[in-house]
Amino acid sequence: MKIINVVGARPNFVKIAPILEAYKAFPRIIPLLVHTGQHYDPTMSDLFFRQLGIPEPDLNLDVGSGSHATQTADIMKTFEPVVLKQRPDAVLVVGDVNSTIACGLVAAKMGVKLIHVEAGLRSFDRTMPEEINRVLTDALADLLFCTEQSGVDNLLREGVAREKIHLVGNVMIDSLLRHRAHAAQSEILDQLGLEPRRYAVLTLHRPSNVDDPVMLGRLFEAFEIIQRDLPIVFPVHPRARPSLMKALPSDVGRRLPRLKMTGPLGYLDFLKLMDNARLVLTDSGGIQEETTILGVPCLTLRDNTERPATVEFGTNHVVGRNPDAILSAYHRLQPSAPLEQRTSPLWDGHAAERIAERINAMA
Ligand code: UD1
């Protein structure tokens, strides 16, 4: 059974690594790995392949950056001949990035079975490009693997047949549990002069936050106050850099002396940073789940989340972008050791095995 596995952007790499590993138990499965090239900087791509032990892709489509339409179309145009040539039995896509929907659409139109890992998550916010990618990919998929019960409920409500849906757990957590001990050896805390539980980590990359200078300015009002208590480490995503440079006040160094900006970090350094943080501030999806497993409080700087289980488990607080709301949530957090971990029994490090087993059983 030949399966083309698609990756494009940074979070995809973290999700595909355990799946490729799990296929090894099933000799019937012949996996091919296609990298669309959506993320291409060495720190956004190669470093993740190396640290996560992902084999070299069989093919790199090298599409690079572009508007949504350009990037999606370029991926589709370059992926179609691959499917024509390889004639796979299935195409597997992960997550919700443009590479996910682009390759999903190609497979579905060519009559090739489509498998979606991380199906059913919904923010119910169609201004997010990822929400459109999720809804469309799920509508096309033949086999849908969910991380949490809300995903199953959403799919059933949208009319997806129950037999196509499988609640298997979270492959991003498979990677985290596999690499946590190794990440503990990273020297990133010493390199940045940080002490465990005495700093916060910040990530921002959503267009709704970083492309709007007024929004960025308001967020930085909250960060200015938080960094008086806790140094804030901010690894900057390349898409955030240009707008940050425009939006940040020229006296940022004086006003936020304890804000430490770095370039994008590798998987192991970032995992170590999260694991030892007092607090994480983020607009990412995956980080809400990773902090859940690590027992680290997370303030999500968005108006909604497609991952409600992270809020139910108790580590994640969706606080929006208003500085007063961010600060009041911050002040409500008790200075304490890591929170008691409450998670789904399926976030156990074995989701990829369940996925591979189900794929192997596919007709
Ligand atoms: C993409 C995903 C987003 C995911 C994020 C993880 C979509 C619609 N968005 O957002 O869901 O959370 O990846 O990081 O697919 N750039 C570089 N080097 C790179 C890659 C990007 O400099 O290796 C810069 C370019 O200026 C590019 C911009 O970042 O235009 C945006 O990249 P893109 O892949 O379009 O979206 P992300 O914001 O990374």
Side-chain angles (χ1 to χ4, degrees), residues 59-222:
L59 264 166
N60 194 322
L61 307 181
D62 282 325
V63 294
S65 304
S67 70
H68 283 271
T70 306
Q71 189 177 57
T72 309
D74 284 348
I75 298 170
M76 289 181 71
K77 282 199 300 200
T78 42
F79 188 60
E80 186 182 50
V82 175
V83 178
L84 270 175
K85 178 160 180 234
Q86 296 293 340
R87 308 212 153 277
D89 296 287
V91 168
L92 179 142
V93 295
V94 296
D96 55 14
V97 303
N98 286 347
S99 302
T100 310
I101 178 58
C103 295
L105 193 48
V106 169
K109 289 231 171 162
M110 294 176 81
V112 175
K113 274 208 176 89
L114 178 64
I115 305 169
H116 186 204
V117 174
E118 205 185 81
L121 296 180
R122 296 289 180 269
S123 65
F124 303 102
D125 174 1
R126 293 272 173 111
T127 65
M128 284 178 79
E130 294 81 4
E131 181 73 355
I132 296 170
N133 295 343
R134 291 181 200 115
V135 169
L136 296 179
T137 307
D138 287 339
L140 300 172
D142 300 285
L143 194 51
L144 300 97
F145 291 112
C146 297
T147 52
E148 59 171 274
Q149 183 59 39
S150 77
V152 177
D153 298 342
N154 293 331
L155 293 172
L156 289 174
R157 208 174 35 247
E158 290 171 18
V160 177
R162 185 176 282 280
E163 60 272 17
K164 292 183 179 177
I165 306 170
H166 301 272
L167 180 60
V168 288
N170 195 322
V171 286
M172 195 167 229
I173 300 306
D174 290 2
S175 278
L176 182 150
L177 294 175
R178 204 153 301 169
H179 293 281
R180 190 177 187 182
H182 187 194
Q185 293 163 23
S186 146
E187 289 172 0
I188 190 73
L189 264 59
D190 291 340
Q191 285 163 14
L192 295 173
L194 300 168
E195 287 176 51
R197 307 277 166 238
R198 296 231 181 130
Y199 63 90
V201 175
L202 166 67
T203 82
L204 284 178
H205 74 285
R206 298 231 163 262
S208 54
N209 284 337
V210 299
D211 291 354
D212 177 351
V214 178
M215 185 59 75
L216 262 181
R218 284 167 62 76
L219 287 170
F220 271 77
E221 284 173 33

Side-chain angles (χ1 to χ4, degrees), residues 5 41 43 54 66 84 238-239 241 263 265 268-269 312 341 344:
N5 301 272
D41 280 347
T43 48
I54 306 172
L84 270 175
R239 84 159 289 132
R241 187 165 289 284
L265 296 176
L268 297 173
D269 283 346
E312 287 151 27
Q341 290 172 16
S344 157

